[in-house]
Amino acid sequence: MAFGRSDSPQTPPKLPTAIKLLIAGGFGVGKTTMVGAVSEIRPLRTEETLTDRSVGVDDLSGVEAKSTTTVAMDFGRISIGQDFVLYLFGTPGQERFWFVWDELARGALGAVVLADTRRLADCFPSVDYFERRGTPFVVAVNCFEGAPIFDLDEVKLALNLGRDVPIMLCDARKRESGKEVLIELVKHAYGKRLTATVR
């Protein structure tokens, strides 16, 4: 046996499982903020300044201070322990950019639908989209200052969510709050996969 060599096979290091997740919701709901808050890398953003060309196209009621908008996607990454790496893709909120969604949704384990109680109806396109695709999703009510506060059961009823769809409060600006939402989504999505496999 050569000096310094071992005949015992080396166990290759276990690579973390890569998981693709979407952050969706209406215009101005906090998708870019959430991706930026939780990402362990500098997030990739495709934001453009809102101009007078968006007048009559983008509804700014409730988010009048918003000056930029995502035109393609936001991208970030976060590690959960040593077992999982989550790749986060924030979807554009405005209807004119929805053609990007099909490409972003390909291969995704699940999605977070961010909700704003000031503009709750803006959630419906996201909820409908993921229900049609059969993509597991959770709803996270982003707690904006001054926004009406409703019981989560009331929000769930207003959005006509299925009994098995988790709903929770969050603050998209805070890393720990965003991580809790993502962990809940991963647990929910894997639970649905397990249930489908058993059937």
Side-chain angles (χ1 to χ4, degrees), residues 169-189:
L169 298 174
C170 80
D171 186 333
R173 301 167 298 180
K174 296 182 179 177
R175 179 178 174 83
E176 287 305 313
S177 181
K179 281 175 65 175
E180 288 175 12
V181 172
L182 296 174
I183 290 169
E184 181 65 27
L185 171 59
V186 171
K187 286 166 37 180
H188 173 62

Side-chain angles (χ1 to χ4, degrees), residues 91-160:
T91 65
Q94 296 115 299
E95 184 175 356
R96 57 194 165 121
F97 299 124
W98 285 355
F99 65 90
V100 180
W101 282 36
D102 286 343
E103 196 62 38
L104 291 178
R106 187 172 290 121
L109 176 71
V112 173
V113 176
L114 277 176
D116 178 354
T117 56
R118 299 169 302 179
R119 299 157 56 101
L120 200 56
D122 290 359
C123 289
F124 283 117
S126 299
V127 169
D128 290 344
Y129 180 82
F130 296 122
E131 284 181 342
R132 282 197 313 270
R133 288 182 65 95
T135 302
F137 67 95
V138 302
V139 173
V141 179
N142 195 5
C143 300
F144 287 94
E145 293 179 14
I149 299 173
F150 298 100
D151 184 86
L152 288 178
D153 287 337
E154 292 180 301
V155 177
K156 191 166 191 170
L157 183 64
L159 293 176
N160 195 29

Side-chain angles (χ1 to χ4, degrees), residues 21-49:
L21 301 176
L22 302 182
I23 313 295
F27 177 58
V29 78
K31 301 179 295 294
T32 299
T33 300
M34 184 175 190
V35 172
V38 301
S39 180
E40 63 195 21
I41 61 172
R42 183 176 180 181
L44 168 68
R45 293 179 171 151
T46 58
E47 286 193 304
E48 293 294 336
T49 302

Side-chain angles (χ1 to χ4, degrees), residues 31-86:
K31 301 179 295 294
T32 299
T33 300
M34 184 175 190
V35 172
V38 301
S39 180
E40 63 195 21
I41 61 172
R42 183 176 180 181
L44 168 68
R45 293 179 171 151
T46 58
E47 286 193 304
E48 293 294 336
T49 302
L50 287 168
T51 67
D52 55 4
R53 291 190 176 189
S54 69
V55 174
V57 177
D58 298 323
D59 180 10
L60 294 177
S61 57
V63 287
E64 290 83 1
K66 188 167 175 62
S67 61
T68 61
T69 184
T70 299
V71 296
M73 67 172 186
D74 300 305
F75 173 76
R77 184 187 73 202
I78 180 173
S79 299
I80 303 295
Q82 296 182 337
D83 297 324
F84 301 100
V85 176
L86 310 183

